Amino acid sequence: METEIIKIDQKYINMRLIDKAVKLLKDGDIVSFPTETVYGLGANGLNSDAVKKIYKAKGRPSDNPLILHISNKNQLKTLVREIPEVAEILIKRFWPGPLTIIFKKGRIVPDIITGGLDTVAVRMPNHPIALELITQSEFPIAAPSANTSGKPSPTKANHVIQDMMGKIPLIIDGGSTEVGLESTVLDLSTNIPRILRPGGVTLEELRDIIPSIVQDENIINIDVQPKSPGQKYKHYAPEAEMLLFTGDIDRIVEKINLQAEESILQGKRIGIIATEETKDRYNKGVVLVSGSRNKPNTVASNIFTVIREIDKMNIDLILAEGIDIDNIGMAIMNRLTKAADGKIVHV
Ligand code: TXA
Ligand code: MG
């Protein structure tokens, strides 16, 4: 299949180009588009045959459910059985934005979306191109992240091109995504509001509104069985083996330097994922900077790019600095823990 790539400027949206994407979506085809978190791989969420194509292009297991993306709140009522009061408050505060809410599923939602579950995930993305696409399509757009299953999520059109070229008809290049990590997935379908995946909206922000909120323990401990189907799969994984170092930053630097020295003696090529503040303290291996540990949002927006870059460098072992797990740090450490397949060195 030939893949067309079109550039759309999110500040001056070219409606002729949007129409082109909408036509494909209406014909049951899939289109990759930017959101504020990561690029999505979208299809008509009410058309099972169209949604099947998403699973195929990603190589995604069919029991891993998809998020339905909407562009106005009226769409929500048609997709869910009930809207809890607390959801109303969260929606007012965080939509459009990087918060996905799990509801009891309405009858029109096809089983292929929910992987057979009785619940459905819905979010309203905060990106003008995504919103325009949904509004013009007049149906909810099902969209997982537009990476090959298991790979880091795409935060630039180039990442989508790497993974999806020849597999989908259209990629909308809307530039780099802002948040850089996926949305927070919050389950409101049971009595206890529970974060299943940390993301762009933080635990601290949610706790302000729901003091009793809990987090799935699997978020930073991969030995615990996750509550969200998608979280059980190997994810965000680089080709090379990766070790994640946590603890005091001076000791982290010291330990990474020692490990690098030892591994280089064994003939390994080493990649180090460092931060602005520490990058000059390494003198061995290839050093990549994910961002500033004083501004963890910069780490969030770059981390998937850095993992993809390191993969192209023929590295045998990646040594990654951890960061503090408060605020957006929780989501970053969740992704790094999974990328390292749980191999954490606490110093
Ligand atoms: O930021 C995002 O959320 C991006 C952009 C494109 O919107 N999308 C995204 O989708 O990350 P995906 O499919 O890569 O991740 C969705 C996560 C998966 O872990 C999936 O298992 C979980 O949400 N999920 C979806 N529906 C669910 C449900 N009904 N119950 C529990 N988990 C669900
Ligand atoms: Mg994903």
Side-chain angles (χ1 to χ4, degrees), residues 233-248:
Y233 294 106
K234 193 168 150 76
H235 214 170
Y236 316 113
E239 302 289 337
E241 185 186 358
M242 175 165 155
L243 299 178
L244 174 62
F245 292 76
T246 62
D248 171 73

Side-chain angles (χ1 to χ4, degrees), residues 38 58 60 64 144-147 150-151 153-154 182 197 235-236:
V38 300
K58 272 185 75 86
R60 180 173 175 123
N64 190 357
S145 49
N147 51 288
K151 290 279 139 208
S153 298
E182 305 87 337
R197 175 178 75 182
H235 214 170
Y236 316 113

Side-chain angles (χ1 to χ4, degrees), residues 23-217:
K23 184 164 184 313
L24 282 168
L25 290 168
K26 285 193 167 158
D27 286 347
D29 254 311
I30 55 181
V31 170
S32 179
F33 62 97
T35 79
E36 83 281 29
T37 56
V38 300
Y39 274 76
L41 201 57
N44 178 351
L46 303 180
N47 175 341
S48 298
D49 289 331
V51 174
K52 263 186 210 145
K53 295 181 185 170
I54 295 180
Y55 284 91
K56 182 151 181 267
K58 272 185 75 86
R60 180 173 175 123
S62 61
D63 69 343
N64 190 357
L66 302 177
I67 299 170
L68 288 177
H69 295 69
I70 60 175
S71 62
N72 79 67
K73 226 204 101 188
N74 291 332
Q75 279 175 295
L76 180 62
K77 290 187 215 113
T78 66
L79 303 174
V80 305
R81 214 151 63 222
E82 60 189 30
I83 304 177
E85 214 169 304
V86 60
E88 297 278 4
I89 301 169
L90 293 173
I91 287 167
K92 272 210 188 84
R93 170 84 174 75
F94 295 109
W95 279 8
L99 177 68
T100 294
I101 302 177
I102 312 253
F103 298 92
K104 290 185 177 132
K105 140 185 154 50
R107 240 179 305 151
I108 63 160
V109 178
D111 284 339
I112 188 167
I113 291 290
T114 64
L117 296 174
D118 190 33
T119 55
V120 62
V122 186
R123 111 171 171 96
M124 191 188 293
N126 188 15
H127 194 292
I129 294 175
L131 290 171
E132 202 59 69
L133 217 52
I134 303 161
T135 303
Q136 300 301 329
S137 300
E138 299 174 319
F139 43 69
I141 295 185
S145 49
N147 51 288
T148 301
S149 206
K151 290 279 139 208
S153 298
T155 55
K156 300 176 191 302
N158 254 339
H159 301 162
V160 183
I161 293 169
Q162 279 168 23
D163 286 14
M164 292 297 151
M165 205 61 183
K167 296 186 178 161
I168 62 174
L170 186 70
I171 297 171
I172 299 176
D173 178 351
S176 294
T177 64
E178 194 186 323
V179 179
L181 297 177
E182 305 87 337
S183 62
T184 303
V185 177
L186 174 64
D187 188 355
L188 294 183
S189 71
T190 68
N191 289 335
I192 306 163
R194 185 186 302 269
I195 297 177
L196 303 183
R197 175 178 75 182
V201 173
T202 65
L203 171 66
E204 288 83 348
E205 288 173 295
L206 292 169
R207 200 179 263 148
D208 270 351
I209 295 168
I210 320 174
S212 64
I213 195 166
V214 296
Q215 275 203 102
D216 193 355
E217 278 179 54

